[in-house]
Amino acid sequence: MSRTGTTCPGCDRDDRVQAVPAVYLAGRDAVTSRERNRDGDMRTVTRTVTTGLSDALAPVPRPPTYGIGVLGVLAAFVSLATFIGGAQAGHWFEDEPAGADGDGVPRVGGVYLVPDGSTVPDYSQPLGSAASPPDFAYLGLISAAALLAVVLVAVVVHCRRTAFVRLTRGRHRAEELWSRGWYCHRCGTAHFAGVPGEDRAPLTLQRFRERVWEHGGYGDLAAEQRAVDPGRS
């Protein structure tokens, strides 16, 4: 590591001092691997691997997770499957006219009785009753309920994403201060240099995060997303 000319206020040396943006970017690597998908076919997957130190020096909070989206996908599948199944099994969209069923025997809500030993219906006899086929209406109710769940999940995800964007709208101010920070690999502390209103006192990673995030207007999140010990990375 080359000397930067900026000394650490903790050890008063500059041989292990590095700009915070450089440390942050150095700890983020794109790793490409070959994996099999659910169908057994090989595919190329690229993931971003982040060290604990890089994560601790992040200028913005992690975006909210959307695990609830899995529930939405499942609900969408249930809604579609039950609708198709009900439409096919219950003949929801079929309008069959009353009349012969291909054998010349009229059927209107029932069946004619066929005398024993004969294959010809006795039309003089009244129509026998026939049980109505099930219409599988309950599948329609399940499909509608699942569709409602999809809509609710979509609303929740949209609200969370919108709230995060609104919360971090001051990110440019946080990054402006963050870019003036320095990290000492020997002491494990960060400090600011040449920033009006900020002293050069060494800061823990958590305190550095709080100062940067407060500058961006989302300092409250620093208590929820605490900086980790880089020794764990």
Side-chain angles (χ1 to χ4, degrees):
M1 182 179 301
S2 60
R3 295 179 180 272
T4 62
T6 300
T7 59
C8 170
C11 62
D12 200 28
R13 300 176 65 176
D14 64 352
D15 59 325
R16 299 296 304 278
V17 175
Q18 190 176 11
V20 165
V23 179
Y24 172 75
L25 294 176
R28 302 175 64 85
D29 296 324
V31 178
T32 302
S33 61
R34 297 280 292 173
E35 298 180 355
R36 292 188 181 276
N37 58 19
R38 295 180 179 179
D39 298 328
D41 300 327
M42 295 299 296
R43 63 175 182 174
T44 301
V45 179
T46 301
R47 295 186 176 89
T48 300
V49 179
T50 306
T51 64
L53 177 58
S54 177
D55 181 72
L57 294 174
V60 292
R62 293 185 299 273
T65 57
Y66 302 111
I68 192 175
V70 177
L71 177 62
V73 173
L74 178 61
F77 174 78
V78 171
S79 177
L80 183 62
T82 53
F83 180 81
I84 294 177
Q88 292 180 344
H91 306 286
W92 292 346
F93 302 103
E94 294 183 7
D95 187 15
E96 296 182 354
D101 193 27
D103 55 1
V105 180
R107 290 174 171 81
V108 184
V111 295
Y112 283 98
L113 300 178
V114 179
D116 294 339
S118 174
T119 60
V120 179
D122 185 359
Y123 298 121
S124 64
Q125 300 296 325
L127 286 172
S129 59
S132 300
D135 59 1
F136 296 94
Y138 68 93
L139 291 180
L141 297 177
I142 296 176
S143 179
L147 182 60
L148 178 60
V150 173
V151 174
L152 292 177
V153 168
V155 171
V156 171
V157 171
H158 175 72
C159 289
R160 289 182 179 179
R161 182 180 292 115
T162 302
F164 180 76
V165 172
R166 185 183 304 112
L167 181 65
T168 58
R169 61 180 178 270
R171 172 175 180 165
H172 63 285
R173 295 192 301 269
E175 290 182 337
E176 182 179 358
L177 177 62
W178 173 77
S179 64
R180 307 284 292 276
W182 296 85
Y183 178 77
C184 178
H185 290 271
R186 175 178 288 103
C187 301
T189 59
H191 66 277
F192 298 104
V195 179
E198 296 287 346
D199 56 36
R200 295 187 69 253
L203 304 172
T204 64
L205 295 181
Q206 176 62 22
R207 185 55 185 155
F208 178 81
R209 167 172 289 190
E210 292 172 356
R211 298 278 279 273
V212 171
W213 289 13
E214 286 171 1
H215 211 66
Y218 39 86
D220 294 343
L221 293 181
E224 301 176 9
Q225 299 184 19
R226 299 186 62 83
V228 299
D229 183 354
R232 300 178 186 174
S233 59

